[in-house]
Amino acid sequence: MIRALAVALCLAAPAGAQVAEPDGYRMEEYRAPVPDRLTGGTVLDVGTARDLWERDAAAFVDVLPRTPRPRGLPEGTIWREPPHETIPGALWLPNTGYGEIAEVTRAYFLDGLADATGGDPDAAIVFFCKADCWMSWNAARRAIAEGYGDVRWMPEGVDGWAAAGYDLEVVEARPEAP
């Protein structure tokens, strides 16, 4: 019986199995294997993204969330958020890649995209976060749903960029509206 169960599990999820796109947004387990496609958008490898970056042919948008304050810190402990490294020139819109976002976060996301594209919904936008992170897939899908016409997604994210030997820079998040 145990052997049959083990065989069934192996057959159900073979190594290297393709990950299906969900019907909506990914709502949990954001750090997990991602699909190899984005309906309505274009999937980029790091080399293609680098070419766009070198030609300044797309806005780059990082959607990695802010680092949360560690749990269990004693009261009064000073905690500083670690520096955020990303692709040079990228706009960091933290917390906008969750599956469900508040209206204020949606407005922040859309204002950031308008800034990044100069208000042109047909301008090329490259979304990324880290490798095997659904946040950028969700954000790219959200941009498509909001009417952006040239949405690109780099699933390898900043991890792939750095692994290819490309520089990163420390940035601050786009300020929220007052």
Side-chain angles (χ1 to χ4, degrees), residues 16-44:
Q18 292 205 350
V19 176
E21 287 185 284
D23 291 333
Y25 298 103
R26 177 74 173 230
M27 302 297 283
E28 56 190 23
E29 297 181 37
Y30 295 106
R31 292 302 304 270
V34 295
D36 63 356
R37 57 179 287 143
L38 172 69
T39 299
T42 304
V43 179
L44 303 177

Side-chain angles (χ1 to χ4, degrees), residues 2 7 16 22 31-32 58 92 112 115 118 127 140 153 155 163 165 168 170:
I2 293 174
V7 169
R31 292 302 304 270
W92 182 29
D115 285 350
F127 289 93
W153 171 52
L168 300 174
V170 173

Side-chain angles (χ1 to χ4, degrees), residues 82-117:
H84 181 76
E85 290 189 319
T86 192
I87 296 170
L91 175 64
W92 182 29
L93 298 176
N95 306 325
T96 58
Y98 288 104
E100 205 171 295
I101 57 175
E103 184 56 36
V104 67
T105 305
R106 178 180 170 269
Y108 172 75
F109 178 70
L110 293 176
D111 288 347
L113 295 187
D115 285 350
T117 63

